[in-house]
Amino acid sequence: MKRLPIVISVVVLALIVVGAGALMLVDANHFRPQIQNTLSQALGREVTLGKLHVSLWSGALDADDIRIGDDPAFGAQPFVTAQSLELGVRLWPLLVHRELRITSLTLDHPGVRLAQNGKGDWNFATLGGSGATAPAPASSSQPLAFSVDQLRIKDGRIDLTRAVGGTRSYQQVQLSADHVGMGAAFPFSTSAAIAGGGTLQLDGTLGPWNPANALLTPVDAHLVMHRLDLVRAGLMSAGAGVGGVLDIDTHIHADKGVLQSKGRIDASGLKLMAAGAPSPRLLRIDYQASYDLRSGRGQIKPAAIGMGTTHVAVGGSFDNRPKVMQLDLRINGNRLPVDDMESLLPVFGVVLPENSRLSGGSMSMDLHAHGPLDALLINGPVSVDDSRLVGFSLGAKLGGALALAGIKTPKDTVIRHAQATLDITPSGIRADALRADVAELGNVAGQVSMATDGRLDGRMLVKLDQGITAGVQSGQALGSLLSNSGAGRLLGSVIGGTTAQGIGVRISGTASAPAFKLDPTAVTGLLKAGVAGAKKTDSKTPAPDSSKRKQDVLNDLLRNALGPKKKH
């Protein structure tokens, strides 16, 4: 009995030696035509293998290199090349009957070329069908049905070239698929590195294979992408001054040429306008979309862009055929909290004055966004209610005339209501039909534009509240120096006249440091209206030189409102 383990060990060792010896006697290249024909018929492409040899340790057949031809309509370049191919085989049929039964395929460092022609067709669409030619099997070889237990790709590279130009590369591609066959769905898992440092992970099932058009093969999978840089991945132009980084987690399902996806996108540093700035907060987009794989067009069902607990509704269509995806979207929101919406403003190029911020109140919008993803055109009405621009006083910026009249302005701009029609383009922003009701100041109306470098150019009309001008009109707010003089009452009439006529203001500077100056032409017109009021109010006061008095007040107004500030 003590000798039994020794005997068993000797027998096992002998079998190993015999098996190894038998493998060494097998001429692996004898099976090369059979393997080539089998793979060629299964793939519908010509497959060429290098020299084959037997691996004693793994019991597999190794090919020095492999080339899979492309659809002839796409040229003579190979569809796939690989440094080596390992074929797992069943040893017993190989040793005893010289029959080749492939159980696994492993491609090492393969390169895959995916290409689209001018008609929108892809070179992989005919894979597995009869669209591409493959050599007929030799009469001495009987090709086996293509079905393997395992398919593996190690450290591959995929180069994707679209008809509109430009190539996107995916490297470090790893693929694992089991029970691979053409007639049934099989599970797979794949990962890759995306240009710009991102990663991709896709897990699910694929099949049954559609031999008429591989693009229509059903897929059901979970897609996760991390750190997708929109510019470095080629989804936005590098010179457009826009960008962002996305994390995507979505479920995809494709059937009959329509791909449905539902999930979320987390966008960090998103910037859609060159004049703007990256969003300071993470934006979450919960979306659902459908995409026609043949036409290259899709629909975005009502989605939501979230900032904290606030969501903006987004919906519309997209076209993936151009080099940069084209969008046609509606962006809607009704009475959304300003505190949450403020982080979305720089994404669309809206810049607030330096050291200021919006606080409280609500914002509403109805915008239309269309054009390339990196050069969107956005237009539509926007309104703000019951908000405060903290750290910026519009009244103080108007300066001289109000200070001369003794009108005190608050340190912040309190907005009862503001509205404008925005026209946002890659060259800047224009706000038309601008109207605002500012507490402790009055009503503002006009238009202003901002260039990509932040420069402002605009005009507005400021109509002071009656409550502010009531005391000023009689000269009471001017202090003891002017309160009893004709000039005080005259200036009071000028300021009082602004209740109905308004003060013309020119806007310049930059968005972060705006400048406001009285428009002399407008002031002259208002002065005439104010003088008439002064004469009526003080009809008993003699006015020997009315034109001189008008000129003196005008000079005082312009000196304080438009003149350089003295440094103390």
Side-chain angles (χ1 to χ4, degrees):
M1 295 296 294
K2 294 181 180 180
R3 294 182 178 180
L4 182 59
I6 298 176
V7 173
I8 294 176
S9 299
V10 171
V11 171
V12 171
L13 181 60
L15 290 174
I16 293 175
V17 172
V18 171
L23 283 175
M24 294 179 65
L25 295 175
V26 172
D27 181 9
N29 287 290
H30 172 77
F31 300 100
R32 184 166 57 181
Q34 182 180 351
I35 296 172
Q36 290 182 157
N37 289 326
T38 298
L39 296 178
S40 296
Q41 291 297 311
L43 299 177
R45 306 286 175 87
E46 182 178 5
V47 177
T48 305
L49 301 177
K51 185 178 179 181
L52 292 176
H53 52 86
V54 178
S55 174
L56 297 178
W57 294 109
S58 63
L61 300 180
D62 292 336
D64 290 337
D65 58 68
I66 178 175
R67 292 168 62 91
I68 300 176
D70 206 345
D71 186 323
F74 289 83
Q77 285 185 289
F79 176 64
V80 175
T81 59
Q83 293 181 358
S84 66
L85 171 66
E86 180 183 284
L87 298 96
V89 297
R90 296 190 183 278
L91 290 179
W92 184 255
L94 180 66
L95 294 175
V96 177
H97 304 291
R98 293 295 192 268
E99 293 180 358
L100 180 65
R101 298 183 184 179
I102 301 173
T103 60
S104 65
L105 294 172
T106 302
L107 289 167
D108 186 33
H109 289 81
V112 181
R113 188 179 73 97
L114 303 181
Q116 185 185 41
N117 62 20
K119 298 178 180 179
D121 299 327
W122 288 94
N123 62 340
F124 64 85
T126 57
L127 194 65
S130 58
T133 60
S139 58
S140 59
S141 302
Q142 298 298 323
L144 305 175
F146 183 74
S147 177
V148 295
D149 295 333
Q150 295 180 343
L151 174 63
R152 302 288 186 265
I153 289 178
K154 297 180 179 180
D155 199 17
R157 175 189 175 101
I158 298 176
D159 292 323
L160 187 149
T161 304
R162 303 174 62 206
V164 292
T167 299
R168 300 172 187 170
S169 296
Y170 303 85
Q171 303 193 45
Q172 302 175 28
V173 178
Q174 313 293 333
L175 172 68
S176 174
D178 297 324
H179 311 297
V180 178
M182 295 294 189
F186 55 87
F188 74 94
S189 176
T190 186
S191 63
I194 307 171
T199 60
L200 175 153
Q201 181 71 43
L202 184 64
D203 303 287
T205 59
L206 175 69
W209 196 264
N210 189 322
N213 187 348
L215 190 66
L216 307 183
T217 298
V219 179
D220 190 86
H222 179 212
L223 172 64
V224 176
M225 302 179 77
H226 289 300
R227 304 297 300 170
L228 174 64
D229 189 308
L230 292 172
V231 174
R232 298 175 68 184
L235 300 176
M236 283 180 162
S237 300
V242 295
V245 178
L246 308 183
D247 288 330
I248 301 174
D249 190 330
T250 186
H251 175 261
I252 63 174
H253 178 80
D255 190 24
K256 298 179 181 178
V258 177
L259 187 147
Q260 306 282 348
S261 63
K262 182 179 181 180
R264 73 170 188 267
I265 300 173
D266 289 336
S268 58
L270 186 63
K271 181 184 177 186
L272 297 179
M273 290 292 159
S279 171
R281 295 177 58 183
L282 182 74
L283 303 179
R284 171 158 290 185
I285 305 170
D286 295 303
Y287 82 100
Q288 186 173 353
S290 62
Y291 178 61
D292 191 309
L293 295 168
R294 287 167 289 195
S295 70
R297 298 175 177 175
Q299 296 288 326
I300 299 175
K301 298 180 180 179
I305 302 177
M307 295 75 60
T309 58
T310 301
H311 296 86
V312 177
V314 179
S317 62
F318 61 95
D319 188 344
N320 197 38
R321 293 172 301 173
K323 188 173 183 178
V324 176
M325 181 184 294
Q326 301 268 340
L327 301 177
D328 190 353
L329 304 175
R330 301 297 306 192
I331 305 173
N332 306 100
N334 186 36
R335 300 194 67 81
L336 304 175
V338 165
D339 292 336
D340 288 336
M341 292 297 298
E342 187 177 20
S343 61
L344 192 61
L345 298 182
V347 175
F348 296 103
V350 178
V351 180
L352 298 179
E354 188 176 8
N355 298 322
S356 70
R357 60 182 177 84
L358 286 170
S359 177
S362 63
M363 180 181 295
S364 300
M365 67 192 70
D366 184 11
L367 302 175
H368 178 212
H370 56 101
L373 178 61
D374 57 2
L376 285 173
L377 306 177
I378 305 173
N379 52 72
V382 175
S383 62
V384 176
D385 290 281
D386 303 317
S387 187
R388 179 186 294 266
L389 185 57
V390 178
F392 181 83
S393 173
L394 177 60
K397 287 292 183 180
L398 291 176
L402 300 185
L404 181 64
I407 297 176
K408 295 182 179 180
T409 57
K411 64 178 181 178
D412 300 330
T413 300
V414 180
I415 305 169
R416 296 191 185 104
H417 175 78
Q419 66 183 51
T421 299
L422 297 183
D423 189 8
I424 305 174
T425 71
S427 60
I429 302 176
R430 182 181 178 90
D432 289 314
L434 172 63
R435 298 184 181 277
D437 180 5
V438 181
E440 300 184 62
L441 183 62
N443 294 309
V444 176
Q447 66 84 24
V448 63
S449 61
M450 183 187 78
T452 54
D453 60 1
R455 288 182 296 108
L456 297 179
D457 182 19
R459 293 172 176 81
M460 67 181 184
L461 192 66
V462 180
K463 295 184 179 181
L464 301 179
D465 279 342
Q466 289 184 353
I468 295 176
T469 60
V472 179
Q473 190 168 1
S474 62
Q476 296 174 4
L478 297 174
S480 59
L481 180 64
L482 296 177
S483 60
N484 295 318
S485 68
R489 288 188 295 273
L490 178 61
L491 181 58
S493 293
V494 172
I495 298 298
T498 64
T499 300
Q501 303 297 328
I503 302 174
V505 177
R506 178 69 180 269
I507 306 170
S508 60
T510 65
S512 58
F516 301 86
K517 294 184 179 181
L518 297 184
D519 187 329
T521 304
V523 172
T524 302
L526 294 173
L527 182 61
K528 292 179 179 179
V531 169
K535 288 181 178 180
K536 183 177 181 180
T537 303
D538 191 22
S539 58
K540 297 180 180 181
T541 302
D545 193 352
S546 176
S547 61
K548 186 176 186 301
R549 291 171 56 204
K550 290 187 288 184
Q551 186 63 42
D552 289 343
V553 175
L554 177 58
N555 289 339
D556 287 340
L557 283 173
L558 298 182
R559 184 179 300 111
N560 286 275
L562 303 179
K565 305 298 181 183
K566 294 182 179 180
K567 297 182 179 179
H568 298 283

